[in-house]
Every structure is written in C-alpha cells, then in structure tokens.
Amino acid sequence: MKTYKIAAIPGDGIGIEVIDAGLRALTALAESDGGFTLDVTGFDWGSDRYKREGTFMPADGPDQLRAFDAILFGAVGAPDVPDHLTLWGLRLGICQPLDQYANVRPTRILPGIKSPLDGVGPGDLDWVIVRENSEGEYAGQGGRSHRGQSHETATEVSIFTKVGVERIMRYAFELARSRPRKLLTVVTKSNAQRYGMVLWDEVAAEVAGDYPDVKWDKMLVDAMTVRMTMKPQSIDTVVATNLHADILSDLAAALAGSIGIAPTANFNPEGATPSMFEPIHGSAFDITGQGIANPVGTFWSASMMLEHLGEAAAARRMMNAVEMVTADRGLHTPDLGGSATTDQVTEAVIAAIRNN
Ligand code: GGG
C-alpha cells in the first residue's frame, strides 16, 4: 500500500473550514479505496501566527515542505492584516521558492449548478486556464520613495523572462494537446504593453511551431472577457500572465456558478518540488465561522491532488461523489443560492464516496 505525505496548510478564515472538510473527504476516500493512505501533517501557518510571532511561517517554511509529496492549502487573508502582507507572506511565499510556475485552473459547470449566462449549460463551458505563476506582474520587483511628499512615488515592475514565458507556453500547449479539442487561446495585452507582452506573443508563435496539431489563437485580455461571456463555447485551454489569468479565472468561476466551486493546482511540472492544491477562493472573512463555506472548490482541488499523485481512479471517485452532491440543489451552500451548510455538503460527499 502506498502512503503519501501531505502537508495541510489551512491558513486563514474559511480556509480552516474547507481544509477540514477536504481532509475528511480524503480520509473517507483512502479508507474505501484501500490502495493508499495519506500521512497528513498540519501547519498552523497564517495570519494568527503573524499576529503572534511576526511571521506567517518559519523562515525555512518552504524547505520544510520539500519533504512532502503534495501540499493542500486553504486560503490567506485577514481583516486586520494588509492583503499584500498575507499574500506575500504565505501563498506567494510558498509558490515562488518552490518554483510552482504552472497554476492550473479548470472550470466546468457541474451538474445542478446554474451559470448566470442565459442558456449556457454544462456542455458549453469546459475550460482550463493556465496562469503563469512565478513572474510577470507578481515578480515582486518595485519600490516606494519620497514617502509623505507630494511626489511620493511607487513602481511595480512586471518581469517577463524568455525562459519563464517559454516554459509556461510549452506547458499550455502540452495541456491543450492532451484535451480532445486541442485548442489554445494565448491571452496578451501587446497593443499597450509593448515589451513584455510582445515577447509573450513572439514566444507563443515560436512554441506553436512545435505543436502543429494544436489550433491556437491570440486575444487581448479585455476582449477575452467579452468572448468568455458571449461565446463560452469557443474556448478550451487558455494561457495568460500571472495577473491576467488571476482575473480571468475569477470571471470563469463566476460564469460556472460560483467562486466557491473553483479549484487550483500550483504545479512544479518537473516534480523537483511538491505541488500545491487549493481552492481559488480566499479567506472570505465575511462568512468565516458561520459554517456555510462551500467545500466543493477544496474537494475538486483534492481530486486534482490525487490525480497528480497517480491515484487517477480515486480522483475520479472524488469528482463523481462531488457531482452527485451538486446535482441535488438541496445540498447547495448559500453562494449557489441554497441554504446547506459546509458540514451537510461534506457528509453527503463522504456518503457518496462510501456508497459508490
Ligand atoms: N486559496 C487562494 C487564496 O487564498 N487566494 C488569496 C488571494 O488573495 N489570492 C490572490 C492571488 O493569488 O493573486
């Protein structure tokens, strides 16, 4: 029997509630599968630790994580800590040193869930957005000077390296090739951003030469929001910069029914470091502690984690159970217009796992 070492980092707010739900479902799955076990180590890293000790995680936090097969992450963000501190102190503080450069965000309309787009159903929206996850607008370069003066100045420098653009482009072409439609949309803003985004376009065209079987097109990010809304059927795989894909994937989640169901994987595709799996949503402190957070985004992320670990059958069983539960509107949490609790959805998913 295989044992996978999993690092669980619930983080802040509803991250704690959904990771608890995710681990319960994963435990039920491992028990009923019988072919693998999960050796889970919890880490209390996050904003409470920051308020207590001055840092979100220990200085060697990313190195501690290298010993694990995968990381299951909740969310970051607290009402009384500036957002740029939480994001850089924990989520980016892990992704960047572990070089998890491919952030993969599938979006589908699950059974029983309604898109806000009129007449758009499950067959009309089945996308994977690939977010460059190591540089671009999140390179962390910039600074502030002349503080307090009328000419106070701030810079936020986007960095696009050829090696960084090429590796994410190859990842996206490979992913597009593995999907039935073999269709990739490269998102850019090279009309206005004439250096980094033009390099992005040039590398896309160069890499495309190695993938003659993949049909690809190019969209400016602003026009992409229109296409996602008006012609969702025309899209399959998408690749975009760190910031553009962050924004587009929130839109994608909303068009598929709720940000509460959307999953993410932060991959180091070479397997040099553990990859990290998390729901797209943040800490949602407006609903923290009420027991109504949607755990589906975490279940779906856990399914991606199992797939990554080589447990494809278990990954499918997790998603089958999730889809059986979403098909029952009585089991929708408030973000989907229902009144079910996190616990009710979790228990229903566990029952579906055990009975199927
Ligand atoms: N689970 C994802 C999460 O906690 N996200 C918080 C957030 O603010 N993310 C912004 C970003 O990743 O750009």
Side-chain angles (χ1 to χ4, degrees), residues 183-248:
L183 173 64
L184 177 68
T185 300
V186 176
V187 173
T188 181
K189 189 64 191 169
S190 48
N191 56 346
Q193 296 178 306
R194 55 195 169 149
Y195 306 112
M197 291 281 73
V198 171
L199 176 69
W200 183 265
D201 282 356
E202 285 171 8
V203 172
E206 215 173 287
V207 171
D210 292 339
Y211 296 86
D213 53 328
V214 176
K215 193 163 171 271
W216 73 288
D217 58 16
K218 222 167 66 175
M219 291 293 293
L220 295 176
V221 64
D222 43 345
M224 188 64 182
T225 61
V226 179
R227 179 166 164 194
M228 287 167 71
T229 311
M230 305 303 284
K231 288 189 181 168
Q233 305 84 351
S234 72
I235 298 167
D236 187 79
T237 310
V238 176
V239 61
T241 70
N242 216 327
L243 180 63
H244 292 165
D246 181 46
I247 297 165
L248 294 180

Side-chain angles (χ1 to χ4, degrees), residues 161-329:
T161 64
K162 189 161 186 195
V163 71
V165 178
E166 184 171 343
R167 67 184 183 173
I168 199 65
M169 220 44 93
R170 284 198 185 280
Y171 186 89
F173 272 95
E174 289 288 339
L175 183 61
R177 173 181 269 176
S178 74
R179 287 169 57 84
R181 293 174 71 192
K182 300 189 192 310
L183 173 64
L184 177 68
T185 300
V186 176
V187 173
T188 181
K189 189 64 191 169
S190 48
N191 56 346
Q193 296 178 306
R194 55 195 169 149
Y195 306 112
M197 291 281 73
V198 171
L199 176 69
W200 183 265
D201 282 356
E202 285 171 8
V203 172
E206 215 173 287
V207 171
D210 292 339
Y211 296 86
D213 53 328
V214 176
K215 193 163 171 271
W216 73 288
D217 58 16
K218 222 167 66 175
M219 291 293 293
L220 295 176
V221 64
D222 43 345
M224 188 64 182
T225 61
V226 179
R227 179 166 164 194
M228 287 167 71
T229 311
M230 305 303 284
K231 288 189 181 168
Q233 305 84 351
S234 72
I235 298 167
D236 187 79
T237 310
V238 176
V239 61
T241 70
N242 216 327
L243 180 63
H244 292 165
D246 181 46
I247 297 165
L248 294 180
S249 57
D250 269 30
L251 173 61
L255 296 177
S258 168
I259 186 89
I261 59 170
T264 325
N266 302 278
F267 287 119
N268 173 270
E270 289 75 31
T273 59
S275 295
M276 182 163 88
F277 302 83
E278 56 172 338
I280 282 186
H281 65 70
S283 56
F285 32 81
D286 53 328
I287 57 159
T288 297
Q290 296 179 32
I292 54 166
N294 194 338
V296 167
T298 300
F299 296 149
W300 194 342
S301 305
S303 168
M304 293 177 82
M305 181 177 85
L306 290 168
E307 175 95 47
H308 174 71
L309 291 170
E311 299 295 340
R316 262 194 313 278
R317 279 185 69 205
M318 172 73 90
M319 279 318 284
N320 288 344
V322 166
E323 292 182 29
M324 274 178 215
V325 169
T326 60
D328 179 349
R329 294 220 167 104

Side-chain angles (χ1 to χ4, degrees), residues 52-181:
R52 258 190 347 257
E53 301 180 32
T55 56
F56 293 86
M57 63 178 162
D60 69 345
D63 284 333
Q64 289 186 35
L65 295 173
R66 287 177 195 272
F68 291 86
D69 295 308
I71 305 160
L72 189 62
F73 187 86
V76 282
D80 49 356
V81 183
D83 287 337
H84 64 280
L85 296 184
T86 50
L87 191 62
W88 281 93
L90 198 57
R91 188 182 168 272
L92 298 178
I94 294 169
C95 291
Q96 293 200 348
L98 295 186
D99 201 22
Q100 296 165 338
Y101 66 84
N103 181 279
V104 176
R105 303 184 156 196
T107 312
R108 278 191 294 126
I109 301 177
L110 299 181
I113 295 181
K114 235 179 95 42
S115 168
L117 298 176
D118 226 12
V120 169
D124 299 312
L125 197 160
D126 182 357
W127 305 335
V128 186
I129 297 179
V130 177
R131 172 184 183 185
E132 199 296 314
N133 209 34
S134 67
E135 53 174 41
E137 308 87 345
Y138 285 57
Q141 302 242 0
R144 284 178 75 168
S145 66
H146 307 88
R147 285 191 186 243
Q149 299 180 42
S150 59
H151 55 291
E152 183 166 343
T153 305
T155 59
E156 191 80 48
V157 183
S158 294
I159 304 282
F160 295 96
T161 64
K162 189 161 186 195
V163 71
V165 178
E166 184 171 343
R167 67 184 183 173
I168 199 65
M169 220 44 93
R170 284 198 185 280
Y171 186 89
F173 272 95
E174 289 288 339
L175 183 61
R177 173 181 269 176
S178 74
R179 287 169 57 84
R181 293 174 71 192

